[in-house]
Amino acid sequence: AADGAPSAAGEPPPASHAHLVSKRVVGDINLCCWDAASCGTCAVGGARARNHCPKRTVLGILNKDGTYCERLTLPVVNLHAVPDGVSTENAAFAEPLAAAFRIAEQRVVSPKDRVAIIGDGKLGLLIAEVLGRHAASLGEGTPRPVLFGRHAAKMGLLSSAAQVETAFAASALPVRAASFDVVVDATGSPTGLDLARSLCRPLGAVVLKSTCAAGADFNTAPFVVDELRVVGSRCGPFPPALELMAAGLDLTPLISATYPLEEAMAAVEKARTKGTLKVQIRVCSDEAAPELDTSL
């Protein structure tokens, strides 16, 4: 929740902060300098500034302490009010759901494109929720995306409105080889990138949501021969993510476990357990403070 208490100097919150006082908020993890006079990236604005300011810090990742604490700070510009009808547990998915919306924001998928998503982990499922709806919005003739996964139970967690087909990754080849215009790799594994390349048609696009290291023996030849376009995709816009949750998307079935802050290390170990989708840490600083969620 946004803290509306006066500063140490006794000053009230700035006007730009007033609409967030006493509200539940979620926050963009990228902290940009927004100094258009000295930063050419921030002068451009938009997603370029949001994701690529060379002076940025990143919450819990780069020169900015993370969320395993009772209180933290973020610039007002990073904050987004949580709609009243969205539970705190559901709102904790806003950042990864926004990352899924980044693919739509990048305009990688065109009308009538055949889209495949590889990986049935948390991010793969969120991407399927977003791209299924996005494909439907592109009009008649755009097929439903196909989510390739390894676990029927995980793929079964997709909402009824996801508008995607599901299939087992083990049976994708050779039947579906070179069958898709856009393939999104959300496996977190170098083998996923190889499958993505195999499923993508020549001159198609491979979207990378995985940040795993492929190793020195990575073979670039198939990407060159098939003239594939490789698109990196990072953080995305919060407003459509919050709007989708406000419209009824409930992601809490993806929560594998919830721990109190005092058991944060146990939560980390649980998050490392094979098959775990989402672990949440519930934070409460004192009896008067609102409860907050942070996620692994």
Side-chain angles (χ1 to χ4, degrees):
D3 189 350
S7 68
E11 298 176 353
S16 60
H17 184 281
H19 69 290
L20 296 174
V21 173
S22 300
K23 297 287 187 179
R24 294 177 303 145
V25 295
V26 290
D28 194 314
I29 65 173
N30 297 284
L31 286 73
C32 308
C33 73
W34 295 114
D35 185 358
S38 65
C39 178
T41 301
C42 285
V44 173
R48 181 173 173 184
R50 182 191 68 215
N51 287 358
H52 299 290
C53 170
K55 301 176 184 178
R56 73 185 182 276
T57 59
V58 185
L59 184 66
I61 299 175
L62 178 65
N63 298 326
K64 174 70 174 176
D65 289 343
T67 62
Y68 296 178
C69 53
E70 293 181 341
R71 297 186 183 277
L72 58 90
T73 61
L74 282 175
V76 172
V77 70
N78 285 53
L79 302 180
H80 305 268
V82 176
D84 291 338
V86 177
S87 71
T88 300
E89 292 79 8
N90 204 26
F93 286 89
E95 195 280 333
L97 187 61
F101 269 101
R102 175 60 177 152
I103 301 172
E105 184 183 52
Q106 290 173 294
R107 300 183 180 180
V108 181
V109 180
S110 300
K112 299 186 179 180
D113 275 353
R114 299 159 297 172
V115 177
I117 303 148
I118 307 173
D120 56 11
K122 173 197 67 184
L123 186 55
L125 295 174
L126 297 183
I127 292 170
E129 294 283 359
V130 170
L131 291 189
R133 291 168 171 83
H134 180 64
S137 74
L138 293 177
E140 188 176 350
T142 301
R144 291 190 174 198
V146 180
L147 172 65
F148 289 96
R150 298 172 55 192
H151 312 91
K154 289 184 178 180
M155 291 189 286
L157 294 173
L158 287 168
S159 71
S160 59
Q163 302 186 64
V164 297
E165 298 178 7
T166 59
F168 287 106
S171 62
L173 298 176
V175 180
R176 300 287 191 103
S179 295
F180 296 92
D181 302 288
V182 179
V183 182
V184 181
D185 173 25
T187 61
S189 167
T191 58
L193 178 57
D194 189 55
L195 177 58
R197 186 270 307 168
S198 298
L199 292 176
C200 193
R201 65 159 175 82
L203 297 175
V206 175
V207 180
L208 302 184
K209 276 294 188 183
S210 296
T211 55
C212 59
D217 58 350
F218 176 65
N219 182 14
T220 62
F223 292 86
V224 176
V225 172
D226 287 342
E227 297 184 296
L228 299 180
R229 181 161 56 104
V230 178
V231 180
S233 186
R234 290 185 61 235
C235 303
F238 274 64
L242 291 170
E243 289 170 9
L244 183 55
M245 288 189 285
L249 177 59
D250 179 17
L251 296 170
T252 57
L254 276 61
I255 300 172
S256 300
T258 302
Y259 292 81
L261 179 60
E262 295 77 14
E263 299 178 23
M265 294 309 300
V268 172
E269 289 303 315
K270 176 63 177 178
R272 292 173 176 167
T273 304
K274 191 176 181 65
T276 299
L277 283 174
K278 188 75 165 179
V279 175
Q280 292 191 348
I281 296 175
R282 182 162 286 278
V283 179
C284 186
S285 59
D286 53 50
E287 292 183 359
E291 291 188 336
L292 307 174
D293 277 333
T294 183
S295 300
L296 299 172

mmCIF file of all heavy atoms in Angstrom, residues 212-244:
data_model
loop_
_atom_site.group_PDB
_atom_site.id
_atom_site.type_symbol
_atom_site.label_atom_id
_atom_site.label_comp_id
_atom_site.label_asym_id
_atom_site.label_seq_id
_atom_site.Cartn_x
_atom_site.Cartn_y
_atom_site.Cartn_z
ATOM 1 N N CYS A 212 18.180 -17.958 -19.958
ATOM 2 C CA CYS A 212 19.192 -18.968 -19.659
ATOM 3 C C CYS A 212 20.373 -18.827 -20.622
ATOM 4 O O CYS A 212 20.247 -18.340 -21.741
ATOM 5 C CB CYS A 212 18.592 -20.365 -19.779
ATOM 6 S SG CYS A 212 17.922 -20.720 -21.411
ATOM 7 N N ALA A 213 21.533 -19.271 -20.181
ATOM 8 C CA ALA A 213 22.730 -19.248 -21.025
ATOM 9 C C ALA A 213 22.748 -20.499 -21.896
ATOM 10 O O ALA A 213 22.611 -21.621 -21.413
ATOM 11 C CB ALA A 213 23.983 -19.187 -20.158
ATOM 12 N N ALA A 214 22.938 -20.315 -23.206
ATOM 13 C CA ALA A 214 22.913 -21.448 -24.127
ATOM 14 C C ALA A 214 24.231 -22.196 -24.163
ATOM 15 O O ALA A 214 24.284 -23.340 -24.588
ATOM 16 C CB ALA A 214 22.566 -20.954 -25.529
ATOM 17 N N GLY A 215 25.339 -21.588 -23.744
ATOM 18 C CA GLY A 215 26.628 -22.258 -23.748
ATOM 19 C C GLY A 215 27.420 -21.976 -25.007
ATOM 20 O O GLY A 215 26.903 -21.487 -26.014
ATOM 21 N N ALA A 216 28.695 -22.301 -24.956
ATOM 22 C CA ALA A 216 29.602 -21.986 -26.058
ATOM 23 C C ALA A 216 29.317 -22.803 -27.312
ATOM 24 O O ALA A 216 29.722 -22.415 -28.411
ATOM 25 C CB ALA A 216 31.045 -22.208 -25.607
ATOM 26 N N ASP A 217 28.643 -23.938 -27.179
ATOM 27 C CA ASP A 217 28.395 -24.799 -28.330
ATOM 28 C C ASP A 217 27.074 -24.481 -29.030
ATOM 29 O O ASP A 217 26.585 -25.256 -29.849
ATOM 30 C CB ASP A 217 28.408 -26.272 -27.915
ATOM 31 C CG ASP A 217 27.371 -26.591 -26.843
ATOM 32 O OD1 ASP A 217 26.783 -25.634 -26.285
ATOM 33 O OD2 ASP A 217 27.172 -27.791 -26.559
ATOM 34 N N PHE A 218 26.485 -23.318 -28.734
ATOM 35 C CA PHE A 218 25.233 -22.928 -29.366
ATOM 36 C C PHE A 218 25.423 -22.793 -30.872
ATOM 37 O O PHE A 218 26.348 -22.121 -31.350
ATOM 38 C CB PHE A 218 24.752 -21.602 -28.769
ATOM 39 C CG PHE A 218 23.513 -21.060 -29.432
ATOM 40 C CD1 PHE A 218 22.312 -21.732 -29.353
ATOM 41 C CD2 PHE A 218 23.560 -19.873 -30.149
ATOM 42 C CE1 PHE A 218 21.172 -21.234 -29.953
ATOM 43 C CE2 PHE A 218 22.428 -19.355 -30.754
ATOM 44 C CZ PHE A 218 21.230 -20.047 -30.659
ATOM 45 N N ASN A 219 24.542 -23.441 -31.635
ATOM 46 C CA ASN A 219 24.657 -23.479 -33.095
ATOM 47 C C ASN A 219 23.769 -22.407 -33.719
ATOM 48 O O ASN A 219 22.544 -22.497 -33.682
ATOM 49 C CB ASN A 219 24.259 -24.866 -33.608
ATOM 50 C CG ASN A 219 24.416 -24.980 -35.118
ATOM 51 O OD1 ASN A 219 25.049 -24.136 -35.756
ATOM 52 N ND2 ASN A 219 23.843 -26.035 -35.687
ATOM 53 N N THR A 220 24.385 -21.391 -34.296
ATOM 54 C CA THR A 220 23.627 -20.298 -34.917
ATOM 55 C C THR A 220 23.231 -20.596 -36.353
ATOM 56 O O THR A 220 22.421 -19.859 -36.937
ATOM 57 C CB THR A 220 24.448 -19.002 -34.900
ATOM 58 O OG1 THR A 220 25.651 -19.196 -35.664
ATOM 59 C CG2 THR A 220 24.812 -18.607 -33.470
ATOM 60 N N ALA A 221 23.770 -21.655 -36.952
ATOM 61 C CA ALA A 221 23.540 -21.922 -38.374
ATOM 62 C C ALA A 221 22.068 -22.001 -38.749
ATOM 63 O O ALA A 221 21.652 -21.389 -39.743
ATOM 64 C CB ALA A 221 24.275 -23.200 -38.793
ATOM 65 N N PRO A 222 21.213 -22.723 -38.001
ATOM 66 C CA PRO A 222 19.801 -22.797 -38.398
ATOM 67 C C PRO A 222 19.108 -21.438 -38.407
ATOM 68 O O PRO A 222 18.225 -21.202 -39.228
ATOM 69 C CB PRO A 222 19.190 -23.725 -37.335
ATOM 70 C CG PRO A 222 20.331 -24.515 -36.796
ATOM 71 C CD PRO A 222 21.494 -23.573 -36.826
ATOM 72 N N PHE A 223 19.511 -20.549 -37.507
ATOM 73 C CA PHE A 223 18.908 -19.219 -37.468
ATOM 74 C C PHE A 223 19.305 -18.398 -38.693
ATOM 75 O O PHE A 223 18.498 -17.645 -39.239
ATOM 76 C CB PHE A 223 19.327 -18.485 -36.193
ATOM 77 C CG PHE A 223 18.769 -19.082 -34.939
ATOM 78 C CD1 PHE A 223 19.418 -20.130 -34.305
ATOM 79 C CD2 PHE A 223 17.588 -18.606 -34.396
ATOM 80 C CE1 PHE A 223 18.899 -20.690 -33.150
ATOM 81 C CE2 PHE A 223 17.058 -19.166 -33.232
ATOM 82 C CZ PHE A 223 17.717 -20.214 -32.616
ATOM 83 N N VAL A 224 20.554 -18.583 -39.131
ATOM 84 C CA VAL A 224 21.037 -17.858 -40.307
ATOM 85 C C VAL A 224 20.438 -18.433 -41.582
ATOM 86 O O VAL A 224 19.941 -17.709 -42.452
ATOM 87 C CB VAL A 224 22.573 -17.897 -40.362
ATOM 88 C CG1 VAL A 224 23.080 -17.231 -41.640
ATOM 89 C CG2 VAL A 224 23.173 -17.223 -39.140
ATOM 90 N N VAL A 225 20.472 -19.754 -41.703
ATOM 91 C CA VAL A 225 19.980 -20.407 -42.916
ATOM 92 C C VAL A 225 18.494 -20.123 -43.126
ATOM 93 O O VAL A 225 18.057 -19.834 -44.253
ATOM 94 C CB VAL A 225 20.241 -21.926 -42.852
ATOM 95 C CG1 VAL A 225 19.554 -22.634 -44.010
ATOM 96 C CG2 VAL A 225 21.735 -22.210 -42.867
ATOM 97 N N ASP A 226 17.711 -20.190 -42.056
ATOM 98 C CA ASP A 226 16.269 -19.939 -42.162
ATOM 99 C C ASP A 226 15.917 -18.459 -42.036
ATOM 100 O O ASP A 226 14.738 -18.098 -42.087
ATOM 101 C CB ASP A 226 15.512 -20.730 -41.090
ATOM 102 C CG ASP A 226 15.461 -22.216 -41.410
ATOM 103 O OD1 ASP A 226 15.690 -22.580 -42.580
ATOM 104 O OD2 ASP A 226 15.194 -23.006 -40.485
ATOM 105 N N GLU A 227 16.918 -17.617 -41.876
ATOM 106 C CA GLU A 227 16.722 -16.166 -41.773
ATOM 107 C C GLU A 227 15.658 -15.809 -40.731
ATOM 108 O O GLU A 227 14.733 -15.032 -40.974
ATOM 109 C CB GLU A 227 16.361 -15.568 -43.132
ATOM 110 C CG GLU A 227 17.464 -15.737 -44.179
ATOM 111 C CD GLU A 227 17.148 -15.054 -45.482
ATOM 112 O OE1 GLU A 227 16.157 -15.470 -46.142
ATOM 113 O OE2 GLU A 227 17.872 -14.122 -45.846
ATOM 114 N N LEU A 228 15.822 -16.399 -39.565
ATOM 115 C CA LEU A 228 14.868 -16.168 -38.487
ATOM 116 C C LEU A 228 15.141 -14.839 -37.800
ATOM 117 O O LEU A 228 16.284 -14.416 -37.635
ATOM 118 C CB LEU A 228 14.951 -17.299 -37.457
ATOM 119 C CG LEU A 228 14.632 -18.709 -37.969
ATOM 120 C CD1 LEU A 228 14.748 -19.720 -36.835
ATOM 121 C CD2 LEU A 228 13.245 -18.758 -38.587
ATOM 122 N N ARG A 229 14.074 -14.195 -37.395
ATOM 123 C CA ARG A 229 14.187 -12.943 -36.634
ATOM 124 C C ARG A 229 14.078 -13.289 -35.148
ATOM 125 O O ARG A 229 13.079 -13.862 -34.705
ATOM 126 C CB ARG A 229 13.060 -11.991 -37.045
ATOM 127 C CG ARG A 229 13.082 -10.648 -36.349
ATOM 128 C CD ARG A 229 12.256 -9.633 -37.126
ATOM 129 N NE ARG A 229 10.898 -10.085 -37.322
ATOM 130 C CZ ARG A 229 9.845 -9.626 -36.634
ATOM 131 N NH1 ARG A 229 10.013 -8.701 -35.717
ATOM 132 N NH2 ARG A 229 8.630 -10.080 -36.880
ATOM 133 N N VAL A 230 15.106 -12.950 -34.396
ATOM 134 C CA VAL A 230 15.133 -13.244 -32.965
ATOM 135 C C VAL A 230 14.797 -11.964 -32.209
ATOM 136 O O VAL A 230 15.451 -10.934 -32.384
ATOM 137 C CB VAL A 230 16.501 -13.775 -32.519
ATOM 138 C CG1 VAL A 230 16.515 -14.034 -31.016
ATOM 139 C CG2 VAL A 230 16.839 -15.063 -33.283
ATOM 140 N N VAL A 231 13.752 -12.042 -31.370
ATOM 141 C CA VAL A 231 13.248 -10.863 -30.666
ATOM 142 C C VAL A 231 13.353 -11.096 -29.156
ATOM 143 O O VAL A 231 12.733 -12.012 -28.622
ATOM 144 C CB VAL A 231 11.778 -10.570 -31.039
ATOM 145 C CG1 VAL A 231 11.266 -9.332 -30.303
ATOM 146 C CG2 VAL A 231 11.625 -10.412 -32.545
ATOM 147 N N GLY A 232 14.153 -10.284 -28.490
ATOM 148 C CA GLY A 232 14.184 -10.318 -27.035
ATOM 149 C C GLY A 232 12.964 -9.597 -26.487
ATOM 150 O O GLY A 232 12.465 -8.643 -27.084
ATOM 151 N N SER A 233 12.472 -10.049 -25.344
ATOM 152 C CA SER A 233 11.257 -9.452 -24.772
ATOM 153 C C SER A 233 11.376 -9.440 -23.258
ATOM 154 O O SER A 233 11.566 -10.491 -22.639
ATOM 155 C CB SER A 233 10.028 -10.247 -25.219
ATOM 156 O OG SER A 233 8.838 -9.634 -24.799
ATOM 157 N N ARG A 234 11.256 -8.245 -22.682
ATOM 158 C CA ARG A 234 11.461 -8.100 -21.241
ATOM 159 C C ARG A 234 10.179 -7.662 -20.532
ATOM 160 O O ARG A 234 9.137 -8.264 -20.679
ATOM 161 C CB ARG A 234 12.577 -7.074 -20.969
ATOM 162 C CG ARG A 234 13.965 -7.526 -21.357
ATOM 163 C CD ARG A 234 15.013 -6.492 -20.942
ATOM 164 N NE ARG A 234 15.022 -6.280 -19.507
ATOM 165 C CZ ARG A 234 14.881 -5.088 -18.929
ATOM 166 N NH1 ARG A 234 14.686 -4.011 -19.661
ATOM 167 N NH2 ARG A 234 14.918 -4.974 -17.610
ATOM 168 N N CYS A 235 10.304 -6.592 -19.777
ATOM 169 C CA CYS A 235 9.187 -6.103 -18.963
ATOM 170 C C CYS A 235 8.151 -5.397 -19.828
ATOM 171 O O CYS A 235 8.475 -4.837 -20.878
ATOM 172 C CB CYS A 235 9.702 -5.152 -17.892
ATOM 173 S SG CYS A 235 10.953 -5.888 -16.812
ATOM 174 N N GLY A 236 6.918 -5.402 -19.362
ATOM 175 C CA GLY A 236 5.844 -4.849 -20.171
ATOM 176 C C GLY A 236 4.968 -3.867 -19.420
ATOM 177 O O GLY A 236 5.233 -3.497 -18.274
ATOM 178 N N PRO A 237 3.872 -3.442 -20.055
ATOM 179 C CA PRO A 237 2.995 -2.415 -19.491
ATOM 180 C C PRO A 237 2.047 -2.968 -18.424
ATOM 181 O O PRO A 237 1.388 -3.982 -18.629
ATOM 182 C CB PRO A 237 2.220 -1.923 -20.719
ATOM 183 C CG PRO A 237 2.166 -3.132 -21.621
ATOM 184 C CD PRO A 237 3.461 -3.858 -21.418
ATOM 185 N N PHE A 238 1.952 -2.263 -17.303
ATOM 186 C CA PHE A 238 1.085 -2.689 -16.205
ATOM 187 C C PHE A 238 -0.404 -2.450 -16.464
ATOM 188 O O PHE A 238 -1.234 -3.274 -16.066
ATOM 189 C CB PHE A 238 1.500 -2.000 -14.903
ATOM 190 C CG PHE A 238 2.593 -2.706 -14.161
ATOM 191 C CD1 PHE A 238 3.857 -2.838 -14.706
ATOM 192 C CD2 PHE A 238 2.361 -3.241 -12.906
ATOM 193 C CE1 PHE A 238 4.874 -3.480 -14.027
ATOM 194 C CE2 PHE A 238 3.368 -3.894 -12.210
ATOM 195 C CZ PHE A 238 4.631 -4.013 -12.768
ATOM 196 N N PRO A 239 -0.799 -1.320 -17.084
ATOM 197 C CA PRO A 239 -2.244 -1.059 -17.209
ATOM 198 C C PRO A 239 -3.053 -2.184 -17.847
ATOM 199 O O PRO A 239 -4.094 -2.581 -17.288
ATOM 200 C CB PRO A 239 -2.290 0.238 -18.032
ATOM 201 C CG PRO A 239 -1.031 0.951 -17.643
ATOM 202 C CD PRO A 239 -0.006 -0.145 -17.518
ATOM 203 N N PRO A 240 -2.648 -2.761 -19.004
ATOM 204 C CA PRO A 240 -3.473 -3.841 -19.552
ATOM 205 C C PRO A 240 -3.485 -5.085 -18.676
ATOM 206 O O PRO A 240 -4.470 -5.826 -18.661
ATOM 207 C CB PRO A 240 -2.845 -4.120 -20.919
ATOM 208 C CG PRO A 240 -1.467 -3.584 -20.839
ATOM 209 C CD PRO A 240 -1.536 -2.419 -19.910
ATOM 210 N N ALA A 241 -2.396 -5.320 -17.938
ATOM 211 C CA ALA A 241 -2.368 -6.465 -17.027
ATOM 212 C C ALA A 241 -3.399 -6.293 -15.918
ATOM 213 O O ALA A 241 -4.170 -7.211 -15.606
ATOM 214 C CB ALA A 241 -0.967 -6.628 -16.438
ATOM 215 N N LEU A 242 -3.436 -5.106 -15.336
ATOM 216 C CA LEU A 242 -4.409 -4.845 -14.274
ATOM 217 C C LEU A 242 -5.837 -4.839 -14.815
ATOM 218 O O LEU A 242 -6.765 -5.308 -14.153
ATOM 219 C CB LEU A 242 -4.089 -3.507 -13.604
ATOM 220 C CG LEU A 242 -2.800 -3.485 -12.781
ATOM 221 C CD1 LEU A 242 -2.446 -2.057 -12.379
ATOM 222 C CD2 LEU A 242 -2.930 -4.365 -11.548
ATOM 223 N N GLU A 243 -6.015 -4.329 -16.028
ATOM 224 C CA GLU A 243 -7.347 -4.334 -16.642
ATOM 225 C C GLU A 243 -7.846 -5.748 -16.872
ATOM 226 O O GLU A 243 -9.031 -6.049 -16.666
ATOM 227 C CB GLU A 243 -7.301 -3.577 -17.966
ATOM 228 C CG GLU A 243 -7.133 -2.062 -17.821
ATOM 229 C CD GLU A 243 -6.843 -1.395 -19.143
ATOM 230 O OE1 GLU A 243 -6.944 -2.078 -20.199
ATOM 231 O OE2 GLU A 243 -6.512 -0.193 -19.146
ATOM 232 N N LEU A 244 -6.949 -6.633 -17.304
ATOM 233 C CA LEU A 244 -7.356 -8.016 -17.547
ATOM 234 C C LEU A 244 -7.742 -8.710 -16.250
ATOM 235 O O LEU A 244 -8.734 -9.455 -16.197
ATOM 236 C CB LEU A 244 -6.221 -8.780 -18.248
ATOM 237 C CG LEU A 244 -6.525 -10.228 -18.642
ATOM 238 C CD1 LEU A 244 -7.769 -10.320 -19.516
ATOM 239 C CD2 LEU A 244 -5.316 -10.848 -19.364
#
